[in-house]
Each structure stands twice: as structure tokens, then as C-alpha cells.
Amino acid sequence: MHAIETHQLTKAFGALTAVHPLDIHVKKGEVFGLLGPNGAGKTTTISMLVTLLSPSGGTAKVNGFDVQTQPDLVRQSIGIVFQDESIDDELTAWENLDMHGRLYGMPWELRKKRIEEVLKLVGLQPRQDDVLKTYSGGMIRRLEIARGLMHHPNVLFLDEPTLGLDPQTRRHIWTYIRKLNRDEGVTVILTTHYMEEADFLCDRIAIMDQGKIVALDTPKKLKERDATLHVASGKIDELYQALSAMNPVRQNGKILIETSQPQRSLKRVLSIAEKRKLALTEIDVKKPTLEDIFVELTGHSIRDEKAGTSDRFKAYNRAMTGRRK
Ligand SMILES: Nc1ncnc2c1ncn2[C@@H]1O[C@H](COP(=O)(O)OP(=O)(O)OP(=O)(O)O)[C@@H](O)[C@H]1O
Ligand SMILES: [Mg+2]
């Protein structure tokens, strides 16, 4: 059984198809990323999986439970960390977690044990009795993650877990996500705009654009594209002629050569240059980044898009928390 299985899962808002028929299978224990720009359909996809939105078509199973016919079983088996401010900042970390445990009907002994475990996991034990008003943004996010884990979910959904955090805090959150995946065996589904985040955390990444998955693979495989040699010389015209058999392209005063065998091509360029007595001012091999792959697949950069859509989901999350009570 997969942790998540969708079959032709679709969501339309009126004339807009936010998620085109989607088939994904997420293995148990995997960290699976949905990477895409604003409006790609990431939050809509996971909102359907966590039963906050009902699909317009298709089916989805989470932990073997159908999101449409068994929503309560789905919710009991998952943890959700969405962008929201539903944490009470007049209460301490301990009190917030205790409240969450009560919502899930956890008995006192179990609650106490679990609060200690999850606080330890996200490194907040030393601050457990401080009210959240005194916490930084990164600490709040860690507490939200801890809260999502309280009831031992098999699958944890994280919508943009590090949005708006500074690079150092982001690194910390990454460490905790890795740790909980490893120590607790939790399957993690996360959405992100950040290439480095997807690259660092995810076993597999689905690149989403305009409601469609345009690529799905391990970060390593996604980046296994041809490398590019960058070559420059004072005699650029002659060099370009000399390298003509290697399909060179001229760009910004340089010559670019795509190659699946960078080392071999490098040797070849050096030997041609030597033979023709053309001094090189630069020679460099550039491997593609996930950003390059994204541009190649979608024709635009991930940072092109404008403002986010996450505000609406604060409302969804409130509704969800309401329903849980
Ligand atoms: N409740 C809604 N009503 C109408 N349109 C919606 C609704 N929710 C989402 N959309 C639209 O669906 C598309 C996908 O939105 P979604 O929030 O899933 O994108 P996203 O990938 O999560 O983006 P972001 O990175 O900004 O969070 C967008 O065009 C959005 O405007
Ligand atoms: Mg979103």
C-alpha cells in the first residue's frame, strides 16, 4: 500500500482548472515535494489530500483511506502544517500542544509523554513554558511542526514550511524535517518554491506548473541532464570556427557547448585550442541546477509569478480546525 495514491485527481474553480488530472503514488517513508511557482496548484492538491477541498473528479487515497468516502479516517491518520496563525500566542508551547492532544482525545499520560517527545524532536524543550508571544517566527514554525506530529500521524503535510524564514532558520527546519522522517518514519509531503529546499529534503520531486506535473523524479535524476562547457578566448571568432564540429553556441562573448560527456569534451576543446594556438581565457563545466531544469520544462523562471495565494488557506485551515473540535 502507498502512503498516497491519486487517480485522475482534478480540481476546477469555475472555468479555471487548478489541478489537471493527477496520478501520483507516494511511497511510505518518502519525503515527496511539490515544487512550483505561485498558482501552480500545490496547495489545491494537498488541500484535496487532507480533505479540506473536495475534488472535482478522480480519486485519492491517503493511508489507504478514501478522501471522499472516509474523510475522518484520513484526518486521524495525518498531520497538517499549513500557513496559518491558528496557534494561540497567549499560551505556552506546552499548553498549545496539550490543547491539540485533547482535540484528538489523547489521554493525559499519553499526551504528557508525547508532548515531551515532540518538543525534544524540534528542540523546543528549553522554551516549553514560555508564552508564544516571546517566540521567533522560526520557533513558531517548529512548534507547528511539533503540533502536526502530536497524534503520531503516518503522513505529515507541510505547505511551504519555511516561507518567509531567514536562511539559517530554514536550515534548522530542514534538519528537523529530516530527523522526524528518519526517527519517526513519517511520510512527508511538502510544497515549496525553493529549489534548494526541494533538492535538500526530497526523495522525489514533482515539478508543477499551471496545474500539471511537468516532471517527477529524484533530484539526482532530474539534474542528470547534459552539462554545458563555457569557453572564452581573445580570438573568439577563430575558436568558434575551430570548435564547429561540437555544435557550439555563442552567448555573451562566450562559446557554450552542450555535452553528455563533460570530461571528454573538455579534453577535446583543450587539444583543439592547443593545436590552433588559441589561448583560452576561460573554460568551465556547468552542471544544470533544478532552476535550469524548471526553465527548460516550463519556459519560464520559478520567480516570474506574482503574489501568493496562501491567505485563502488560512480560512480553510480555520474551517478545518473548527471541524476537528
Ligand atoms: N478557492 C479558490 N477559488 C478560486 N480559485 C482558486 C481557489 N483556490 C485556488 N484557486 C486558484 O487555483 C490556482 C492554484 O492555486 P494554489 O493555491 O493551489 O497554487 P499554489 O501552487 O499553492 O500557489 P502558491 O505558491 O502561491 O501557494 C490559482 O490560479 C488560484 O488562484
Ligand atoms: Mg500554496
Side-chain angles (χ1 to χ4, degrees):
M1 187 182 76
H2 284 92
I4 291 174
E5 259 183 83
T6 74
H7 179 68
Q8 298 286 294
L9 186 67
T10 316
K11 183 70 189 178
F13 296 108
L16 174 88
T17 305
V19 178
H20 288 266
L22 182 76
D23 291 287
I24 46 173
H25 292 80
V26 178
K27 290 177 222 141
K28 282 187 179 172
E30 222 178 354
V31 180
F32 187 90
L34 290 174
L35 174 72
N38 291 143
K42 305 179 298 293
T43 301
T44 304
T45 301
I46 64 172
S47 298
M48 290 191 280
L49 297 175
V50 302
T51 77
L52 291 178
L53 268 182
S54 55
S56 311
T59 57
K61 279 186 173 177
V62 178
N63 286 314
F65 304 121
D66 189 293
V67 294
Q68 280 161 299
T69 59
Q70 301 169 294
D72 291 340
L73 293 171
V74 170
R75 281 187 217 159
Q76 280 161 27
S77 71
I78 61 174
I80 312 176
V81 183
F82 267 27
Q83 297 287 304
D84 79 315
E85 284 131 26
S86 68
I87 264 183
D88 188 336
D89 69 356
E90 299 286 344
L91 298 180
T92 67
W94 211 95
E95 290 164 343
N96 264 290
L97 295 177
D98 188 47
M99 205 169 74
H100 187 79
R102 283 168 198 246
L103 287 179
Y104 275 86
M106 293 168 78
W108 161 241
E109 284 301 324
L110 182 65
R111 241 164 41 226
K112 186 166 165 298
K113 182 169 162 282
R114 189 60 180 158
I115 291 172
E116 280 167 16
E117 278 171 8
V118 295
L119 281 173
K120 197 165 162 217
L121 192 72
V122 299
L124 284 177
Q125 255 177 336
R127 298 289 302 267
Q128 65 176 30
D129 297 323
D130 295 345
V131 290
L132 301 191
K133 274 196 283 201
T134 66
Y135 274 37
S136 70
M139 287 164 71
I140 299 261
R141 194 61 47 78
R142 269 145 67 188
L143 183 66
E144 286 172 344
I145 293 174
R147 187 179 61 166
L149 290 169
M150 265 296 282
H151 55 287
H152 282 290
N154 296 322
V155 182
L156 183 67
F157 290 88
L158 302 167
D159 194 17
E160 315 242 3
T162 66
L163 189 72
L165 300 178
D166 65 65
Q168 197 192 350
T169 311
R170 180 175 298 158
R171 285 254 157 204
H172 276 124
I173 303 271
W174 291 357
T175 312
Y176 295 120
I177 294 174
R178 273 257 176 107
K179 197 162 134 200
L180 68 93
N181 171 251
R182 202 182 47 219
D183 295 357
E184 303 240 330
V186 182
T187 306
V188 178
I189 317 292
L190 63 94
T191 74
T192 185
H193 302 165
Y194 301 119
M195 300 286 176
E196 327 86 81
E197 181 158 293
D199 199 2
F200 182 88
L201 281 176
C202 300
D203 296 313
R204 284 191 303 153
I205 300 173
I207 297 182
M208 257 190 126
D209 191 44
Q210 298 178 13
K212 289 182 187 146
I213 289 187
V214 292
L216 197 170
D217 218 323
T218 62
K220 188 163 175 274
K221 278 268 167 58
L222 284 171
K223 289 186 289 185
E224 244 172 41
R225 306 277 169 124
D226 286 355
T228 311
L229 293 189
H230 289 226
V231 193
S233 164
K235 297 180 179 169
I236 195 87
D237 295 325
E238 286 168 73
L239 183 66
Y240 180 72
Q241 287 293 331
L243 298 175
S244 59
M246 298 177 80
N247 296 321
V249 175
R250 290 183 69 155
Q251 202 181 79
N252 302 329
K254 287 186 198 170
I255 295 167
L256 310 189
I257 298 166
E258 254 187 45
T259 171
S260 57
Q261 296 174 302
Q263 292 313 319
R264 236 176 110 177
S265 305
L266 200 64
K267 276 191 195 147
R268 196 166 157 204
V269 170
L270 289 171
S271 108
I272 291 174
E274 201 185 348
K275 240 182 250 163
R276 306 276 183 110
K277 301 206 176 356
L278 296 167
L280 301 181
T281 52
E282 182 188 331
I283 181 150
D284 200 5
V285 180
K286 295 217 166 41
K287 292 239 168 101
T289 62
L290 274 182
E291 176 86 43
D292 298 332
I293 307 300
F294 189 87
V295 173
E296 187 187 316
L297 289 166
T298 66
H300 60 92
S301 152
I302 200 163
R303 294 188 190 92
D304 277 349
E305 318 289 314
K306 291 187 203 77
T309 51
S310 58
D311 275 14
R312 225 182 3 262
F313 292 100
K314 287 181 185 164
Y316 284 150
N317 201 41
R318 258 177 246 128
M320 172 72 178
T321 323
R323 251 181 284 167
R324 265 194 201 147
K325 278 176 191 161

